[in-house]
Amino acid sequence: MNYSNEVDVRIGTCALCDQEEAKLKESHSIPKFVYQWIKETSPTPYLRSSDNVNKREQDGPKEYLLCEKCEGNLSLMEDEFAEKAFKKIANYRGQAPEILVTEPMRVCVLSIFWRTLLTSLSRENNRTDEDKKVMNEFLASAKHQINKNVATTPIFWAPIYGDPPFYDLPLSMTYQLDRMVGAPDIRFFDDPHRYFAVFKLPFIFFFIFSEGWSDDKDDKNKFAGAVSLSDIKVIPDFLRDYIKFLNDQFEASKLAMSSYNLVKIEQEISESERTTGAHKSLARSQRPNKSGYA
């Protein structure tokens, strides 16, 4: 891949449409509006990644991935998903009880699975050759569906709706369930060989899983059609275990934070002149009541 003379632009092959010698845009794996929401509902306009908890960032991870046309097409779907789903659920003033899921919204979510997993291929992992083969097949299928603007892969979700606790998880995890972003992964299991893929947005987990899971499919968790959020009451055991794993990582990351940064965060929170969403999520994680949306 070569740099052009234009600042912050690269010339290469689009990962989605395969156009060669394309002017590639910096693409967020998780849509930019999500990181903007995090900053707007926080006491400070900064982000912190679990990869380096002692470094403040102003934007989420992004890579030169898509051509201008593909980036524009996905942006339109992201706008629809943001307005018709995300902003109605990640809403401290009051969550919408029902969501109408459209096909562009499903393709948008599938594209996030595709982008987050594609950009994680180079990270160290313990996947077997069989795992890699299945993962590449999933990525190829997702890419084909996105290009056709249709999502045939069943997509499931677990919205964080109503008052805590949620899905038989400890009340103390509520803050992470509300505000955690990213955590994309695909995990493989044997006997039979199967997998699940997952990523997290504020107030929402999305997950996909292959055949071979005997008791974990609940149609009420499907991200499709008209959805009554109060009807979604259970999650698969593998997702619950994964959430607990993420919580353990979160707690470990806090221990890795320097004393300077801990003091800085406490100072910024105490000096905040407004009650932010972060404050409300913290309160929700300490006692189950309805004041978190006041």
Side-chain angles (χ1 to χ4, degrees), residues 117 121 127 131-139 186:
L117 294 178
L121 287 176
R127 298 185 187 115
D131 297 339
K132 294 174 183 177
K133 178 177 181 293
V134 173
M135 183 172 178
N136 286 331
E137 289 172 350
F138 171 80
L139 290 172
I186 183 168

Side-chain angles (χ1 to χ4, degrees), residues 30-281:
I30 301 291
K32 184 176 181 179
F33 70 78
V34 174
Y35 297 108
Q36 190 63 36
W37 180 93
I38 288 290
K39 292 194 294 183
E40 290 174 353
T41 60
S42 298
T44 68
Y46 299 106
L47 305 167
R48 290 182 186 270
S49 167
S50 58
D51 292 337
N52 187 349
V53 294
N54 290 304
K55 183 180 179 181
R56 298 195 302 185
E57 304 282 358
Q58 292 189 329
D59 199 1
K62 50 190 176 181
E63 296 188 25
Y64 292 94
L65 194 66
L66 305 177
C67 68
E68 187 171 7
K69 180 180 179 180
C70 288
E71 179 74 17
N73 289 340
L74 292 186
S75 292
L76 291 175
M77 292 186 233
E78 289 173 2
D79 289 345
E80 182 168 342
F81 170 76
E83 293 300 322
K84 295 184 177 180
F86 177 76
K87 292 181 181 180
K88 293 185 176 183
I89 299 173
N91 192 321
Y92 288 101
R93 297 182 63 84
Q95 297 173 298
E98 296 182 352
I99 300 294
L100 180 61
V101 180
T102 65
E103 193 63 20
M105 292 160 63
R106 286 172 41 77
V107 176
C108 171
V109 171
L110 184 63
S111 78
I112 299 174
F113 276 108
W114 177 74
R115 282 176 281 177
T116 55
L117 294 178
L118 182 66
T119 55
S120 71
L121 287 176
S122 60
R123 294 182 181 178
E124 184 177 347
N125 59 71
N126 60 355
R127 298 185 187 115
T128 67
D129 289 342
E130 186 178 9
D131 297 339
K132 294 174 183 177
K133 178 177 181 293
V134 173
M135 183 172 178
N136 286 331
E137 289 172 350
F138 171 80
L139 290 172
S141 174
K143 176 178 174 177
H144 177 76
Q145 293 171 61
I146 297 164
N147 278 315
K148 294 294 185 181
N149 292 317
V150 59
T152 57
T153 296
I155 299 171
F156 299 83
W157 66 332
I160 309 305
Y161 175 76
D163 300 320
F166 303 102
Y167 302 119
D168 296 323
L169 292 165
L171 178 67
S172 58
M173 291 187 187
T174 301
Y175 185 89
Q176 294 94 289
L177 293 175
D178 283 1
R179 301 186 60 80
M180 183 183 293
V181 175
D185 205 351
I186 183 168
R187 298 204 165 191
F188 292 89
F189 300 80
D190 292 315
D191 193 26
H193 194 74
R194 62 201 194 280
Y195 67 86
F196 74 84
V198 62
F199 72 85
K200 175 72 168 63
L201 301 184
F203 285 87
I204 307 170
F205 273 95
F206 282 103
F207 56 101
I208 289 173
F209 50 104
S210 63
E211 296 298 326
W213 300 88
S214 58
D215 299 320
D216 286 321
K217 289 190 177 180
D218 190 327
D219 286 345
K220 291 180 180 178
N221 290 91
K222 280 189 175 179
F223 186 66
V227 181
S228 175
L229 298 185
S230 62
D231 288 343
I232 304 176
K233 299 178 180 179
V234 299
I235 57 174
D237 289 339
F238 66 74
L239 180 59
R240 184 178 292 103
D241 291 342
Y242 184 66
I243 293 172
K244 291 178 179 178
F245 166 76
L246 292 176
N247 183 72
D248 290 342
Q249 283 195 320
F250 176 77
E251 294 299 329
S253 70
K254 290 195 296 185
L255 295 176
M257 190 171 290
S258 68
S259 57
Y260 169 82
N261 278 291
L262 287 171
V263 171
K264 185 69 174 176
I265 291 173
E266 291 178 0
Q267 181 181 4
E268 290 170 341
I269 292 175
S270 64
E271 292 177 353
S272 176
E273 297 181 354
R274 61 191 179 95
T275 300
T276 67
H279 291 98
K280 294 178 180 180
S281 286

